Amino acid sequence: MKPLSLFFGFLLAIVLATSYNIDAFTRNDFPEDFLFGAATSAYQWEGAADEEGRTPSVWDTTSHCYNGSIGGDIACDGYHKYKEDVKLMADMGLQAFRFSISWSRLIPNGRGPINPKGLLFYKNFIKELRNHGIEPHATLYHYDLPQSLEDEYGGWINRKIIEDFTAFADVCFREFGEDVKLWTTINEATIFAIAYYGQGRRFGHCTPPTNCSTGNSCMDTYIAGHNILLAHASASNLYKLKYKRKQRGFIGLSMFALGLSPYTNSKEDETATERAKAFLFGWMLKPLVFGDYPDEMKRTLGLRLPVFSEEESEQVKGSSDFIGIIHYITVYVTNQPAPSIFPSSTNEAFFADIGAYIISAGNYSLFDATPWGLEGVLEYIKQSYNNPPIYILENGHTKS
């Protein structure tokens, strides 16, 4: 049986229904303009890691550190089999596909000359989607920073990333924007900064088996998050100034959204939940909507939290046409010491800053979605952040 590449990503929306009862919903239960689709990333789908001009990304480097793993060297071989995969999507009735663009395939050195073969691949792939009536949704960054930029200046903890990311985005807008109308700048911005710059274990500037003493989990998480917001705003504002009038597309930032509920009805657990929401939602959403970080973070972190200049605040505020939500996990939050749902290798410093304990919601495992959890996420964002347009980019149930 040929590999079905799109299943390397996650089916959107419909997975939630099929996880529990395959007959629970039909297409007729949703509005006509509701798009069902699937999603994946370049590294998880394309393969062809060292073919036709592509150079290593930090994801290549990291994955090869684990017991000689080949990582995404072959993956689903979408680079060679994209036509078969698009046909499979069309046969399933999918209406949208979210994919990411490999920075090191399109611009092998991270900046400078474009790789013509990489450019042609994405043009052909996007056209193939369009020809089958499938809406392409492009993600510019899904953890795969060119290794050359990581080696040069440490990636997302250095403000040089803002200029380089914006230049990469400019190429993508110019070359693909006539066919791509939905753009996500950075995938799962929150969890990316938390896990990969604070933890320093994967896709970051400190990967095993190298010495991880060079990272600073107390600082790097927030520095990376700050630069993520500034890079997103820079690319978004470039799009709106240079391309939006002609291309008529939309651009947003995506975040990993935990469903958060107090473990008990106590005042302490309710307060702990509000702190968790400030760190896990407000960290990115408050600057995007209101131009600055939550007061809870400022009080807790002090000088460890970067500061927006007045100009930067204005650039970030309103820079997202939509918020992309990725939701798999619903958890309880408590003020009392309790075993965390997250592995011990997760960024302990970040969760210590929250001052709360994240524990399993009932019998659900780490990647079990709950309908009430997603509903709570959407309602919270609606009520707390001026009801922004939202795309549910991933959700459902996964099994290891």
Side-chain angles (χ1 to χ4, degrees), residues 1 4 19-21 37 40 54 89 102 120 129 142 157 185 187 209 223 247 249 253 258 263 298 322 326 338 353 384:
M1 182 177 180
L4 183 56
S19 296
Y20 300 98
N21 183 347
T40 190
R54 184 187 182 278
M89 295 181 215
S102 169
L120 181 62
L129 289 171
H142 195 125
I157 59 167
T185 51
N187 184 70
I223 294 171
Q247 297 179 359
L253 182 76
L258 289 166
Y263 186 55
K298 292 181 179 181
F322 64 87
I326 295 174
D353 287 337
S384 302

Side-chain angles (χ1 to χ4, degrees), residues 135-195:
E135 183 76 28
H137 185 146
T139 298
L140 293 172
Y141 185 82
H142 195 125
Y143 312 154
D144 51 353
L145 182 73
Q147 186 65 47
S148 58
L149 299 185
E150 180 65 40
D151 294 341
E152 180 182 337
Y153 55 72
W156 289 91
I157 59 167
N158 193 304
R159 290 177 68 97
K160 291 180 181 178
I161 193 70
I162 300 168
E163 180 179 354
D164 286 336
F165 178 75
T166 305
F168 164 58
D170 194 11
V171 172
C172 294
F173 299 149
R174 183 183 72 235
E175 299 293 342
F176 313 128
E178 290 301 314
D179 290 307
V180 175
K181 305 305 177 187
L182 293 170
W183 296 93
T184 294
T185 51
I186 297 157
N187 184 70
E188 294 181 332
T190 43
I191 207 71
F192 171 59
I194 293 168

Side-chain angles (χ1 to χ4, degrees), residues 310-331:
E310 185 175 341
E311 181 182 3
E312 289 169 344
S313 176
E314 288 300 314
Q315 290 174 345
V316 172
K317 182 179 178 180
S319 60
S320 275
D321 294 322
F322 64 87
I323 303 298
I325 292 300
I326 295 174
H327 171 78
Y328 291 104
I329 310 171
T330 296
V331 296

